Amino acid sequence: MKYLELYENGELSRRIKEAYRRLAACDLCPHACGVNRLKGETGLCESGKEVRIASANVHRGEEPPISGTKGSGTIFLSGCTLNCKFCQNFPISQLRNGTDLTVGQLADKMVGLQKKGVHNINFVTPTHFTPQILAALYLAIRKGFRIPIVWNTNGYESLETLALLDGVVDIYLPDMKYCNNDVAVKLSGAKGYTEVNRRALPEMLRQVGHLECDDDGIAVRGLIVRHLVLPEGQAGSPDTLAWIAENLGSATHIALMSQYFPAHAAAQTPGIERRITSDEYAEAVEALEELELENGWVQEEPE
């Protein structure tokens, strides 16, 4: 694991200090709220100095190379840098349900999941707690932590925060949600999402490369891009897939998801108040095939 080298040469310690320094005028995500989280101020994510998690469990519902045969050690962080009206995990992301932990307690969660035999530690919606996760990793390494780290993100990432993660994260699992900024603002409150997202993913690819698996098909390193098809073409699926093919390459692994349903506030939001149709998903699959993006996974068409 590359993070062991960072631990040994002192670079991980330096990055922890830098990450916490940035909490004083928080700019960890592209919203750059500028609040002093070290003093308890909160911005859009409503998070302060302490890390909050909703759960830390063995999860078997991720992509096959992530869940594998023994499961993924999934840690759901409370809060989010987006406000998606259709979020299926809104009690965690929007209501911030969860428990505050010290970084030592978070490290213990990581080591405890490793002892259960999971293939990786999978941080879900982690960006706003980057300093705390880095600090927890430092402590976990001292307790024998040695498995890959998955950064399971909405894709709204700044290059400066990704620089802190270079060599720390083994597997990036980002969303590509939108190719239209007006839609991104309307549905997720994400100003400039398209440009931010399209800067972030090439950097993720530069850091970890395309997906690599061991002899058992378990991911050890690399990039997997998730794309959720939305009603009425609001995710811009054909355009998004074309961008992936041109900018990340045909070797990119893509999880093309059909599982959308109108959760949270979606039922009251025109245009996303219903499930997607089989034709809408088929259009995205057709684009995938025409672009010869053959690596990854498709789901069953909705009924």
Side-chain angles (χ1 to χ4, degrees), residues 15-225:
R15 292 192 194 177
I16 292 167
K17 293 176 183 177
E18 170 64 14
Y20 271 99
R21 183 192 65 78
R22 289 176 57 186
L23 283 182
C26 190
D27 63 352
L28 290 174
C29 86
H31 289 295
C33 296
V35 298
N36 189 341
R37 290 173 56 186
L38 297 175
K39 293 186 176 180
E41 297 176 5
T42 60
L44 182 139
C45 71
E46 299 184 17
S47 301
K49 182 180 178 180
E50 299 302 319
V51 62
R52 178 176 293 186
I53 74 167
S55 64
N57 294 305
V58 179
H59 185 51
R60 303 183 187 277
E62 304 284 31
E63 288 76 7
I66 303 296
S67 292
T69 56
K70 299 178 182 178
S72 177
T74 303
I75 299 177
F76 278 89
L77 286 302
S78 302
C80 186
T81 58
L82 299 183
N83 285 312
C84 297
K85 292 185 177 181
F86 53 87
C87 184
Q88 298 174 11
N89 294 319
F90 73 91
I92 299 171
S93 63
Q94 309 303 324
L95 303 182
R96 299 192 69 248
N97 292 345
T99 302
D100 289 338
L101 301 180
T102 65
V103 293
Q105 290 171 324
L106 180 57
D108 289 341
K109 296 285 187 185
M110 296 166 64
V111 174
L113 286 166
Q114 177 179 261
K115 289 178 179 178
K116 291 182 178 181
V118 297
H119 299 296
N120 49 65
I121 292 298
N122 182 353
F123 289 109
V124 182
T125 319
T127 306
H128 51 302
F129 288 125
T130 297
Q132 296 89 337
I133 290 171
L134 292 174
L137 173 62
Y138 184 92
L139 297 177
I141 290 170
R142 300 176 72 173
K143 298 181 179 184
F145 183 77
R146 297 292 186 275
I147 58 177
I149 291 176
V150 179
W151 200 256
N152 190 335
T153 165
N154 57 37
Y156 197 57
E157 299 278 6
S158 74
L159 295 180
E160 293 78 11
T161 295
L162 290 178
L164 295 172
L165 301 174
D166 191 359
V168 171
V169 171
D170 301 285
I171 301 158
Y172 279 106
L173 189 57
D175 292 335
M176 289 199 78
K177 291 183 180 292
Y178 308 108
C179 67
N180 181 297
N181 284 332
D182 290 338
V183 175
V185 170
K186 180 178 74 171
L187 299 184
S188 296
K191 183 179 179 180
Y193 181 91
T194 303
E195 290 78 16
V196 167
N197 187 239
R198 292 181 177 185
R199 284 194 299 265
L201 268 70
E203 171 59 15
M204 295 178 190
L205 180 62
R206 185 199 67 79
Q207 289 185 18
V208 299
H210 288 297
L211 184 66
E212 299 175 21
C213 296
D214 64 18
D215 292 341
D216 296 319
I218 307 303
V220 294
R221 187 172 176 80
L223 173 71
I224 298 173
V225 180

